């Protein structure tokens, strides 16, 4: 197996893992939070303010 195929397999495995809700749920449960304030994001097109 050449280097390109190894990298593609690794990337695909990571994508499969991060897209699987069952595997992500244990991580999400203890580290979730709710933001109750304005969020300002600076982008190349300007400033975006989001209220949550």
């Amino acid at each position: 197996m050449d280097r390109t195929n190894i990298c593609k397999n690794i990337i695909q495995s990571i994508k499969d893992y991060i897209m699987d809700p069952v595997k992500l749920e244990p991580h999400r449960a203890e580290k979730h939070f709710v933001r109750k304030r304005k969020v300002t994001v600076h982008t190349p097109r300007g400033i975006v303010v989001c209220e949550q």
Side-chain angles (χ1 to χ4, degrees):
M1 192 180 279
D2 66 341
R3 198 178 289 181
T4 303
N5 286 335
I6 292 171
C7 291
K8 286 180 181 179
N9 287 337
I10 292 170
I11 291 170
Q12 188 60 48
S13 297
I14 293 170
K15 284 182 181 178
D16 292 343
Y17 187 86
I18 65 173
M19 299 303 281
D20 185 2
V22 174
K23 292 180 181 173
L24 289 178
E25 192 60 35
H27 302 288
R28 212 177 268 140
E30 63 185 74
K31 297 187 181 191
H32 72 282
F33 68 95
V34 177
R35 184 181 293 259
K36 298 281 186 181
R37 61 182 182 179
K38 290 183 180 180
V39 177
T40 304
V41 179
H42 299 272
T43 66
R45 294 184 178 194
I47 297 174
V48 178
V49 177
C50 302
E51 289 189 38
Q52 297 179 337

